[in-house]
Amino acid sequence: MDPLEEELPPPPPLPPNVVPIRAEDAAAADANDAPPDKPTKPKRLLMARPGLGKKGLPIQLLANHYKVSVKISEDFFHHYNVIMKYEDDTLVDGKGVGRKVIDKLQHTYRAELLNKDFAYDGEKSLFTIGALPQVNNEFTVVLEDIGTGKSAANGSPGGNDSSPGGGDKKRVRRPYQTKTFKVELCLAGKIPMAAIGQAIRGQESENSMEALRVLDIILRQHSAKQGCLLVRQSFFHNNPNSFVDLGGGVMGCRGFHSSFRGTQSGLSLNVDVSTTMIVKPGPLIDFLLANQKVDHPNRIDWPKAKRALKNLRIKAAPTNSELKIIGLSDRNCNEQTFPLRQRNGNNGDTNTVEITVSDYYRVHRGIELKYSDNLPCINAGRLKRPTYFPVELCTLVPLQRYTKALSTLQRSSLVEKSRQKPQERMSTLNDALKRSNYDSDSMLKACGISISQNFTQIEGRVLQAPKMRAGNNEEFLPRNGRWNLANKKLIKTCAISRWSVVNFSARCDVQGLVRDLKRLAIGKGLEFEDPHAIIEEHPSKRRAPVSVRVEEMFEQIKQKLPGAPRFLLCLLPERKNCEVYGPWKRKCLAEFGIVTQCLAPARVNDNYLNNVLLKINAKLGGLNTLLQVEVSRGIPIVSEAPTIILGMDVSHGQPGQSDRPSIAAVVSSREWPLISRYRATVHTQSPKLEMMSSLFKPRGTEDDGLIRESLIDFYTSSGKRKPDQVIIFRDGVSESQFTQVINIELEQIIEACKFLDDKWEPKFTLIVAQKNHHTKFFQTGSPENVPPGTVVDKQVCHPKNFDFYMCAHAGMIGTSRPTHYHVLHDEISFTADALQDFVHSLSYVYQRSTTAISIVAPIAYAHLAAAQVGTFMKFEDMSDASSSQGGGGHTSAGSVSVPELPRLHEKVRSTMFFC
């Protein structure tokens, strides 16, 4: 799991009537493919809670939800569309100016607007309580010095008296520091304020979701007026105490998230700590030097700098006007010229001369450039009308988001510096609520809302850890979510035979490493042969392209081994992001069907090697531990009838890689009645598409979808039995997409089953697991994290739907983040206790570690499979749509063709290669 997920805010909730376009297209495509006589299926609805769980020891907790009291009003929120234009009727498209214009409008026309308060989202929607005087309202607003970057005409780097003001769009001849806007407010709809009550009762409708959205917009507006950076429902103050330097000109900025939620105990305000990345404010040159890790301006890579600077906002001396960078000049300051218009005497005539940027500043501004002469200029004008500034006169303004991918070092630094112990986090949250001072907000007052200053007290339950079994039928009970296999045999061991070591120039005592591995493996009950060979990379190949290094290593393998190895231990020189990793995995798993384990041998000890052995054993077909109820076939419901468990996840490219295909993974259980053994299938799909588009892909009499392979593998590995029950765990979707998951994805899975056997009708249960939410729990009277096994299904859960929070793991650092499980559909008819127990058990079957993990193992495996197979394709190679899996790149509706991943070799396809 991504440790950063805790700190990043979730996507904003969409009203149920808004369907994200791509998924809608996919649904439409499905509908178009359906035969014309096929009746339209009724839409599935989210299921209601079947009751509350009772198992476990009661525990008193606090939740970071603040109770909200609401006076239900008979009034209406009136929704107005905002149309904002310049004087020449061109639309305003610059972000940020909207709030200034609306604030000025409200101030200027207060009497005409009946003193109405506005809730404005900063873009195209504005809400009032009660109606404005007219249905269509038109206003003229004049702003003084709106900070859009005034500059002289004709691309000059500074203003002069004869130049009109420079703005976002066409320049208009008028006094220098004013700009006129035309604003239309057109009535778009009405939302009864009583709908807030519907949201609290769980009666979700278009009105209830919209009413909560208006309340969230009021929170955003309140923070915007305090000068915060807004990122969805998270707010960041310009407070240096909240900044942590991550290196490379990037800082972590701690702020807070706040949003209204309907819960069983009424409306609550969920407040949490949130972190985003910002560009380090200050001299622009300092940012560039840090970002490129160089010590002198002459060493800056300017094409790289151009990409890093685009769209950042600067203040430029000596006028201190605020501008947005659009690029760099083609030539250096002392060569780059622009036409300067000058007055010719007092008769009003002007003449234009060509002048360099350096000369302009020296002659007309009295500024002698210290080091920018031989550097490109910053262009902060427009594409067809550049405006140039020397680098040394530019300063980055505060609170600008850094949206590019972080390096591994920056990422780990951010995670480490963002951690807070439970008590510290509680204190930060209480301070944030006080500083926000929401009670002073006139719009919230007008809505009849007041917010408690105290955390909500709730009751949770702590489930007992499941009994586990190791080798020699030894039973043991985990303590505090952990167990020790130091003196235990593994329950089902593999033979490490027909194997070799390959070393990609990692510095280590390979013979000593193999000896230690053998000693520990024999202690765990594994058969361990000596490696057939230790193959060292030739020193001359260390700096060769990665593909050459991998090919060369395989040539050596072919020469030095008598036949194909069953297993390869691969030593890498770097622990993280080694460039050899992806191409090596691809070669082994896709081309040759060889199981491989990579390790970086820095700081290797017995603990580290024991963990490596757990992975090797699982990959080669062994099992490390099992649950006692799994062995005795004592899992309620799941052990009683053949049951397949699916874990589904879609992973997307990192920030700055928006055109990288997304990767969909389906992990499925095998060898029923086991729930500890899994295999994975992975496909690519359109970038940023969250709905899985490849679950069912009929091509004539064949189905190339992700589900078919899983179903066939379950049948062959479970004694030729089809599953009577299908339990699906889906990761990574927001609440606004739940109806799509049960009406599009679940339907595709059912279709895949029907395609195999039209008469087969298994029962389906579909559960969404969310880590990316903002609810945290704290023990009353204890500074420690909540104990592992803590489950909450009262007070702060959904008023009507079947959901619960579970903290299965022991939070050792920072504040534990529970997983939020939503049961969307359940034909198997689990009770709350049976399902919570089962979910808890699935956190103990993860073969890679000796701890309970924070999310069910099938989803954790889906993350791993998507990440590992994703490394098969280099981001730079995205244009190569080469594929060995069923032809060209698949296309989802309305999207570009994406390259498909190479199919895994049949020898490893059903292994836990991702472990």
Side-chain angles (χ1 to χ4, degrees):
M1 274 69 63
D2 183 350
L4 269 186
E5 281 175 1
E6 176 176 8
E7 307 301 340
L8 299 177
L14 287 174
N17 63 318
V18 176
V19 184
I21 286 167
R22 284 196 189 283
E24 190 179 62
D25 288 347
D30 287 352
N32 293 338
D33 292 341
D37 57 344
K38 198 169 183 180
T40 307
K41 287 199 166 75
K43 192 175 178 185
R44 293 186 188 92
L45 301 172
L46 304 187
M47 70 173 292
R49 190 184 300 282
L52 296 170
K54 296 180 178 61
K55 285 179 79 170
L57 293 170
I59 182 172
Q60 293 305 309
L61 303 170
L62 295 169
N64 59 338
H65 285 236
Y66 296 86
K67 284 186 177 169
V68 177
S69 63
V70 189
K71 290 179 187 149
I72 298 301
S73 161
E74 294 303 308
D75 218 328
F76 286 80
F77 289 122
H78 282 63
H79 178 193
Y80 292 89
N81 280 337
V82 179
I83 301 165
M84 208 173 285
K85 298 176 180 176
Y86 296 98
E87 275 185 306
D88 59 1
D89 280 341
T90 53
L91 288 170
V92 175
D93 58 0
K95 282 193 177 177
V97 73
R99 287 192 189 276
K100 293 174 185 170
V101 174
I102 294 296
D103 284 350
K104 185 68 189 289
L105 184 154
Q106 199 173 4
H107 183 262
T108 309
Y109 296 97
R110 185 161 281 285
E112 293 92 322
L113 294 167
L114 311 178
N115 290 322
K116 289 274 181 208
D117 284 316
F118 290 171
Y120 176 50
D121 71 351
E123 294 189 11
K124 292 189 170 63
S125 288
L126 183 146
F127 299 87
T128 58
I129 298 171
L132 293 177
Q134 281 88 33
V135 174
N136 292 322
N137 300 268
E138 293 190 21
F139 306 91
T140 300
V141 178
V142 179
L143 277 194
E144 294 80 28
D145 187 21
I146 58 168
T148 52
K150 304 295 182 295
S151 61
N154 304 328
S156 88
N160 61 45
D161 294 337
S162 65
S163 308
D168 300 315
K169 291 284 176 183
K170 279 192 178 176
R171 293 163 197 248
V172 181
R173 286 190 177 274
R174 61 167 36 260
Y176 178 60
Q177 288 191 324
T178 64
K179 197 152 194 68
T180 301
F181 298 84
K182 291 194 282 191
V183 182
E184 293 173 40
L185 305 179
C186 308
L187 185 64
K190 295 196 298 185
I191 305 146
M193 291 174 71
I196 297 169
Q198 293 176 340
I200 298 167
R201 293 189 294 277
Q203 298 163 336
E204 283 172 7
S205 65
E206 184 182 338
N207 279 338
S208 67
M209 298 303 282
E210 274 289 282
L212 286 192
R213 187 168 87 94
V214 175
L215 297 185
D216 283 339
I217 285 169
I218 296 170
L219 295 186
R220 280 175 63 83
Q221 177 173 275
H222 183 84
S223 296
K225 285 180 175 170
Q226 294 179 340
C228 290
L229 165 66
L230 308 182
V231 184
R232 297 192 284 273
Q233 281 303 127
S234 290
F235 316 116
F236 303 90
H237 288 269
N238 186 19
N239 176 4
N241 293 337
S242 304
F243 301 159
V244 290
D245 202 327
L246 307 177
V250 183
M251 304 182 89
C253 177
R254 181 178 290 159
F256 65 98
H257 160 96
S258 64
S259 61
F260 288 101
R261 295 188 71 82
T263 68
Q264 291 140 311
S265 51
L267 190 65
S268 72
L269 181 69
N270 180 202
V271 181
D272 193 19
V273 174
S274 187
T275 304
T276 193
M277 282 77 71
I278 61 169
V279 173
K280 191 173 182 176
L284 184 62
I285 195 68
D286 290 356
F287 167 74
L288 287 173
L289 295 173
N291 191 246
Q292 298 196 9
K293 298 182 178 62
V294 292
D295 57 3
H296 194 279
N298 292 346
R299 293 201 176 93
I300 290 171
D301 174 341
W302 287 102
K304 188 176 171 187
K306 185 177 179 180
R307 291 193 296 274
L309 293 176
K310 187 155 189 204
N311 293 329
L312 290 181
R313 297 190 320 280
I314 53 168
K315 282 199 169 175
T319 58
N320 254 3
S321 51
E322 192 175 309
L323 311 114
K324 187 163 79 174
I325 299 173
I326 67 155
L328 300 172
S329 60
D330 295 332
R331 289 173 291 171
N332 292 343
C333 272
N334 57 6
E335 297 169 342
Q336 182 65 56
T337 61
F338 67 92
L340 177 67
R341 196 167 63 208
Q342 293 178 314
R343 281 205 179 134
N344 200 357
N346 294 323
N347 58 3
D349 291 345
T350 60
N351 68 323
T352 302
V353 295
E354 284 288 323
I355 187 170
T356 66
V357 174
S358 292
D359 287 345
Y360 170 82
Y361 275 95
R362 192 180 68 256
V363 175
H364 293 273
R365 294 286 186 175
I367 298 172
E368 195 74 52
L369 298 181
K370 294 183 182 120
Y371 60 82
S372 301
D373 260 356
N374 297 312
L375 303 178
C377 311
I378 301 300
N379 180 2
R382 285 171 290 156
L383 282 174
K384 292 183 180 172
R385 200 165 185 173
T387 309
Y388 299 122
F389 297 90
V391 175
E392 66 189 66
L393 300 183
C394 300
T395 307
L396 287 165
V397 300
L399 289 184
Q400 298 192 71
R401 279 186 82 197
Y402 181 81
T403 54
K404 296 174 178 64
L406 293 181
S407 69
T408 307
L409 212 62
Q410 286 172 323
R411 201 172 182 78
S412 55
S413 175
L414 179 65
V415 172
E416 190 184 322
K417 291 171 178 175
S418 300
R419 286 187 190 125
Q420 287 181 303
K421 287 280 184 197
Q423 295 296 98
E424 189 190 345
R425 182 167 285 232
M426 286 175 78
S427 167
T428 302
L429 293 179
N430 280 325
D431 289 348
L433 189 68
K434 285 191 182 78
R435 194 170 61 245
S436 296
N437 193 17
Y438 287 134
D439 285 342
S440 70
D441 191 284
S442 56
M443 192 83 179
L444 285 178
K445 274 186 195 161
C447 295
I449 279 179
S450 64
I451 298 163
S452 161
Q453 295 295 303
N454 301 315
F455 280 63
T456 300
Q457 289 197 314
I458 57 171
E459 187 178 273
R461 292 169 288 115
V462 182
L463 302 180
Q464 187 179 359
K467 249 190 196 166
M468 299 185 73
R469 193 181 282 194
N472 299 335
N473 288 330
E474 184 182 347
E475 289 183 14
F476 61 94
L477 199 61
R479 289 177 177 275
N480 196 31
R482 308 174 82 78
W483 58 96
N484 192 339
L485 293 178
N487 301 310
K488 295 180 174 65
K489 300 269 194 283
L490 304 183
I491 194 163
K492 183 182 177 188
T493 54
C494 67
I496 301 178
S497 57
R498 276 185 30 229
W499 74 287
S500 291
V501 181
V502 298
N503 183 9
F504 281 98
S505 303
R507 292 179 184 173
C508 81
D509 170 11
V510 183
Q511 300 283 6
L513 182 88
V514 171
R515 271 197 310 275
D516 288 342
L517 207 54
K518 182 174 185 174
R519 168 176 55 84
L520 294 167
I522 290 167
K524 290 269 175 286
L526 280 81
E527 288 179 44
F528 194 102
E529 291 179 6
D530 288 330
H532 189 279
I534 293 170
I535 303 171
E536 297 279 352
E537 181 175 42
H538 196 278
S540 66
K541 300 295 177 191
R542 284 178 197 176
R543 303 212 189 299
V546 180
S547 55
V548 173
R549 294 175 71 184
V550 172
E551 286 295 340
E552 181 71 23
M553 189 62 82
F554 266 92
E555 282 306 312
Q556 287 202 61
I557 290 168
K558 286 173 188 169
Q559 288 166 20
K560 295 181 179 177
L561 303 186
R566 181 165 172 255
F567 169 68
L568 288 170
L569 182 69
C570 173
L571 307 184
L572 299 174
E574 295 104 23
R575 193 178 278 259
K576 293 262 188 185
N577 291 348
C578 181
E579 60 176 6
V580 172
Y581 181 86
W584 171 256
K585 285 282 183 187
R586 176 176 179 148
K587 197 85 174 165
C588 290
L589 295 173
E591 289 187 39
F592 290 99
I594 302 168
V595 172
T596 177
Q597 175 64 47
C598 295
L599 67 92
R603 300 192 301 280
V604 167
N605 55 27
D606 281 9
N607 258 352
Y608 180 84
L609 291 178
N610 271 325
N611 272 346
V612 167
L613 282 168
L614 295 183
K615 294 180 184 183
I616 293 171
N617 189 48
K619 286 175 179 180
L620 288 173
L623 282 168
N624 303 326
T625 52
L626 289 172
L627 304 179
Q628 172 58 31
V629 284
E630 197 175 356
V631 180
S632 63
R633 295 183 66 158
I635 306 170
I637 301 175
V638 174
S639 294
E640 295 158 19
T643 303
I644 187 171
I645 303 160
L646 303 177
M648 305 188 343
D649 183 40
V650 178
S651 76
H652 307 292
Q654 286 185 308
Q657 301 178 343
S658 58
D659 57 344
R660 182 176 192 158
S662 294
I663 295 175
V666 171
V667 159
S668 56
S669 62
R670 56 198 314 265
E671 297 179 32
W672 179 82
L674 293 185
I675 63 168
S676 290
R677 177 100 74 193
Y678 293 86
R679 47 105 63 204
T681 316
V682 184
H683 279 195
T684 47
Q685 60 183 43
S686 298
K688 303 298 177 199
L689 175 61
E690 189 49 68
M691 290 294 110
M692 299 182 92
S693 61
S694 304
L695 295 170
F696 176 53
K697 289 174 66 180
R699 290 184 181 174
T701 56
E702 291 300 310
D703 167 17
D704 289 340
L706 285 161
I707 295 297
R708 178 188 169 90
E709 269 189 52
S710 300
L711 296 172
I712 291 171
D713 178 79
F714 180 90
Y715 179 77
T716 53
S717 70
S718 304
K720 304 229 158 124
R721 274 175 292 215
K722 292 175 190 161
D724 294 336
Q725 301 173 149
V726 181
I727 300 172
I728 304 155
F729 287 95
R730 175 68 159 99
D731 187 34
V733 287
S734 62
E735 289 166 43
S736 62
Q737 296 167 311
F738 285 177
T739 54
Q740 289 168 247
V741 171
I742 54 173
N743 287 294
I744 298 173
E745 291 187 350
L746 178 56
E747 191 56 41
Q748 284 188 31
I749 295 168
I750 293 168
E751 290 289 335
C753 294
K754 293 267 181 222
F755 201 82
L756 278 171
D757 179 353
D758 200 35
K759 296 184 179 63
W760 171 38
E761 291 189 348
K763 292 179 178 175
F764 292 89
T765 291
L766 195 156
I767 303 154
V768 166
Q770 289 178 330
K771 292 284 285 180
N772 211 3
H773 61 83
H774 284 282
T775 295
K776 301 285 190 303
F777 300 121
F778 306 89
Q779 288 196 65
T780 52
S782 166
E784 299 301 314
N785 269 311
V786 297
T790 298
V791 63
V792 171
D793 60 3
K794 291 197 283 199
Q795 291 155 293
V796 292
C797 292
H798 193 278
K800 192 177 71 172
N801 298 346
F802 187 6
D803 70 330
F804 58 91
Y805 292 92
M806 182 171 289
C807 227
H809 66 301
M812 307 307 285
I813 46 177
T815 303
S816 288
R817 183 174 29 140
T819 299
H820 194 183
Y821 292 98
H822 303 256
V823 187
L824 306 191
H825 185 79
D826 180 26
E827 296 168 357
I828 299 171
S829 303
F830 280 98
T831 63
D833 275 330
L835 189 68
Q836 288 165 12
D837 241 356
F838 177 58
V839 166
H840 186 224
S841 298
L842 280 175
S843 296
Y844 281 81
V845 302
Y846 190 60
Q847 297 296 307
R848 280 164 56 108
S849 70
T850 54
T851 62
I853 57 171
S854 64
I855 199 162
V856 289
I859 281 181
Y861 288 145
H863 278 299
L864 289 174
Q868 187 170 130
V869 177
T871 64
F872 286 12
M873 298 165 74
K874 280 194 72 180
F875 178 48
E876 295 87 322
D877 301 340
M878 289 300 99
S879 56
D880 301 343
S882 58
S883 163
S884 57
Q885 184 166 317
H890 97 266
T891 314
S892 77
S895 66
V896 293
S897 176
V898 291
E900 288 194 14
L901 292 160
R903 191 176 175 81
L904 295 177
H905 195 284
E906 59 185 12
K907 283 187 193 170
V908 294
R909 209 170 288 160
S910 293
T911 67
M912 290 178 71
F913 69 88
F914 45 81
C915 208

